[in-house]
Amino acid sequence: MADLRTNLAGIASPNPFWLASAPPTNSGYQIMRAFEAGWGGAVWKTLGDPIVNVTSRFAGLNAAGYRMFGMNNIELITDRSLEDNCREIVEVKKRFPDRAIVVSLMMECKRERWRDLVARVEQTGCDGLELNFGCPHGMSERGMGSAVGQDPELIEEVTSWVVEATRIPVLVKLTPNVTSIKHMGRAARRGKAAGISLINTVNSLMGVDLETWNPIPHVDGKSSHGGFCGPAVKPIALNMVGECARDSEIGIPLSGIGGIATWSDAVEFMLMGATSVQVCTAVMHHGFRIVGDMIEGLNNYLDGRGIARAQDIIGKTVPKFVDWNDLNLDYKIVARIDQSLCIHCNKCYIACEDAAHQCIDRIPRNGTTDCVVDESHCVGCNLCQMVCPVDDCITMVRVDDGRSTRTWHDVEATQV
């Protein structure tokens, strides 16, 4: 059995699976139940000046039979007192000393207020702090959350205030609602953050009720933009983790967040550079028990490849995640259709004819019509394979000799 222990910027945990700061980490009762189920760490729901929340707060996006493929929320930070939260953090840490407890914090941009909050929370014995510079709704209109995370100067300044005021590791949680995540990660590094958590939720409006014309979810007939999360945001999150992991000016550990629901999702984030992964929506959908499958799946994956430690896979895909200009222009694949599996639905033909490069011909043969790829014109876009309803009916096959590598940089060099 592989060693699943992780250490993110000095924050140790028995496995890389953490709960993200969110409703599942709202109280000591919840986090103790999560740790009993096997979670390696938890980021306590954001503490600050307690607020008043609204009802309703959540809305789900269902897609192709998958419930909560995405989720929108307009819930804010904790509405419980700082005293109650700090007392419960002490209790949880005493009962589970080997688990990572990181406390999420948010405060108005005043140095002394941040220092006061940090001093009170550090006394709980927590393992680290996570600065919530990512929450996109409610608090951002008050100058906090993503209002800080969208301004590199504020990220650096507030991070430095907190780092100066504490001896435990400080993580910065970034918002995806920016033009370039790299600049925000670099600002966190300049502020001397020990690590970065990303991503927080994506700005969103879930929908509009066609009968009432109310936005969804609504509060007495009105709504506001919220934070979108769940499996639908995973590609966005994975890209941003990779962008930070390969940026030499960042160079600090990452905790991956965004649509992680299974062990294989977690492995993808680790391969792209995440030391730990944080989970929220999947727990809100299925409960704390999912961590059992995650631990078993990660163990089996590592054992199957003879890898002794989970930390040995961190960042292994990052060198393969490059700029478009570094891709090999001479790499050539084409689509091939297995006529023995084809059900003649013509979806590949329609997709190619209407939305791609018109490379599939319909050829009458033996009383039916076969779809046949013109390989001399196929650009290898993958669309026909993506729309085909039959597994393995269409495969993408490499047809170049593999000996030539030519990038756009090479092309530009020849034009000088």
Side-chain angles (χ1 to χ4, degrees), residues 130-265:
E130 184 182 84
L131 312 186
N132 184 342
F133 296 161
C135 194
H137 52 277
M139 306 306 288
S140 59
E141 289 93 322
R142 307 175 195 182
M144 294 176 270
S146 64
V148 178
Q150 293 170 328
D151 185 330
E153 292 185 3
L154 277 179
I155 292 174
E156 180 180 352
E157 183 174 29
V158 177
T159 302
S160 67
W161 294 345
V162 175
V163 170
E164 291 170 1
T166 185
R167 291 174 297 180
I168 57 178
V170 176
L171 312 180
V172 170
K173 188 172 185 177
L174 297 178
T175 174
N177 303 304
V178 294
T179 302
S180 172
I181 197 71
K182 292 187 295 187
H183 295 290
M184 308 306 160
R186 292 171 184 173
R189 171 64 184 269
R190 291 194 299 272
K192 300 189 184 311
I196 295 171
S197 304
L198 71 165
I199 59 172
N200 206 308
T201 52
V202 182
N203 258 326
S204 60
L205 172 64
M206 185 55 78
V208 176
D209 187 310
L210 298 184
E211 295 299 323
T212 65
W213 297 359
N214 286 335
I216 302 172
H218 75 87
V219 179
D220 196 19
K222 298 180 180 178
S223 191
S224 69
H225 69 104
F228 190 61
C229 56
V233 309
K234 178 188 156 191
I236 299 170
L238 202 57
N239 171 61
M240 290 191 167
V241 167
E243 288 286 345
C244 287
R246 71 189 180 101
D247 189 286
S248 60
E249 296 184 41
I250 297 178
I252 52 179
L254 309 175
S255 185
I257 314 167
I260 298 166
T262 66
W263 68 267
S264 57
D265 294 334

Side-chain angles (χ1 to χ4, degrees), residues 36-72:
E36 288 170 351
W39 290 89
V43 183
W44 207 277
K45 186 175 170 65
T46 304
L47 309 184
D49 289 329
I51 50 77
V52 177
N53 264 305
V54 296
T55 62
S56 61
R57 306 177 187 180
F58 306 146
L61 174 67
N62 303 329
Y66 193 117
R67 296 189 68 80
M68 285 179 61
F69 187 65
M71 177 179 163
N72 172 279

